[in-house]
Amino acid sequence: MTLSFFDQFMSPTLLGIPLIALALTLPWVLFPQPSTRWMNNRLLTLQNWFVSRFTQQIFQPINLPGHKWALILTSLMLFLISLNMLGLLPYTFTPTTQLSLNMALAVPLWLATVIIGMRTQPTHALGHLLPEGTPTLLIPILIIIETISLFIRPLALGVRLTANLTAGHLLIQLIATAAFVLLPIMPTTAILTSILLLLLTLLEVAVAMIQAYVFVLLLSLYLQENV
């Protein structure tokens, strides 16, 4: 029983071919495409409003050179939200519960922000490793601590997204299994458990959107430090 709870996080395969590539490609097919008409439909208008509001909020505190990242961070936000939301549907696979995928997204983008900081303003970028006014005896220790915290950032990005989604999926499956088992024995308890399951599902919808936003928001903060 314990192993079956974690089977949902295994990458599905067909004839030995992993289908995670199909799961990563599917969200792009669902997005509404821009039309040649003068007036957009409601779905496209809503998507354009969301993208414009999100871009404005994320890049408002960032300097003008950092606005070149608007396309990639907005696309990443839509991509993560789509993967997280589609993963809540029954009999679907959530690629963002895989730590390898989340690290593959976090490490290159974090490394790009660090490289940009080292190229454009190396003194300011290295200055983050040593706060101003540090006592002389604490300088070597603080440099080591700040360096470790710098390299932990991409790991924290990937682990945060993986842990939150994995915990949510496990809770949903545990409560759904409990409601199914209790239904013939204690119907009233099963109904209450089903109500709890519904509330938890609504919470997981919010978590799926919030975690995608937090992932991109932290990347924008790293970019803000280095631009």
Side-chain angles (χ1 to χ4, degrees):
M1 178 64 73
T2 305
L3 290 177
S4 65
F5 286 150
F6 292 92
D7 287 346
Q8 59 178 319
F9 304 118
M10 296 175 60
S11 179
T13 57
L14 178 64
L15 301 177
I17 302 173
L19 299 180
I20 188 171
L22 181 62
L24 292 175
T25 310
L26 183 60
W28 299 111
V29 182
L30 301 178
F31 296 147
Q33 300 295 324
S35 63
T36 55
R37 298 180 179 179
W38 288 3
M39 299 294 291
N40 295 325
N41 56 27
R42 291 184 178 89
L43 186 59
L44 192 57
T45 303
L46 182 62
Q47 177 181 283
N48 293 338
W49 175 84
F50 171 77
V51 168
S52 62
R53 293 294 299 172
F54 169 76
T55 308
Q56 180 182 358
Q57 184 172 359
I58 287 290
F59 289 92
Q60 190 172 4
I62 299 179
N63 295 334
L64 194 59
H67 291 186
K68 299 175 184 177
W69 284 61
L71 179 60
I72 186 171
L73 290 186
T74 306
S75 302
L76 180 63
M77 173 71 176
L78 290 173
F79 183 57
L80 290 177
I81 282 185
S82 303
L83 288 179
N84 296 346
M85 297 291 286
L86 289 175
L88 293 173
L89 296 175
Y91 302 103
T92 55
F93 171 67
T94 313
T96 44
T97 55
Q98 305 294 313
L99 182 61
S100 56
L101 173 66
N102 295 333
M103 293 301 294
L105 293 173
V107 172
L109 293 173
W110 163 82
L111 187 60
T113 61
V114 174
I115 292 175
I116 287 176
M118 292 296 182
R119 287 186 59 187
T120 56
Q121 41 187 5
T123 305
H124 181 71
L126 293 174
H128 289 296
L129 301 179
L130 185 63
E132 188 177 355
T134 305
T136 307
L137 293 176
L138 295 179
I139 288 177
I141 300 175
L142 278 180
I143 290 178
I144 294 174
I145 292 175
E146 291 296 330
T147 304
I148 293 174
S149 68
L150 177 66
F151 283 96
I152 282 179
R153 284 179 173 182
L155 181 63
L157 279 176
V159 170
R160 181 186 295 107
L161 183 59
T162 304
N164 279 283
L165 295 180
T166 302
H169 283 66
L170 281 176
L171 276 175
I172 288 177
Q173 186 169 2
L174 284 169
I175 295 178
T177 305
F180 181 76
V181 172
L182 290 173
L183 186 59
I185 306 172
M186 294 180 286
T188 306
T189 308
I191 292 173
L192 294 177
T193 308
S194 302
I195 296 174
L196 178 62
L197 177 63
L198 176 61
L199 296 177
L200 180 62
T201 304
L202 296 177
L203 177 63
E204 283 305 310
V205 170
V207 168
M209 294 186 289
I210 290 171
Q211 288 304 315
Y213 176 74
V214 168
F215 190 92
V216 178
L217 177 63
L218 290 176
L219 281 175
S220 69
L221 292 178
Y222 302 156
L223 178 65
Q224 184 180 352
E225 287 183 0
N226 294 284
V227 173

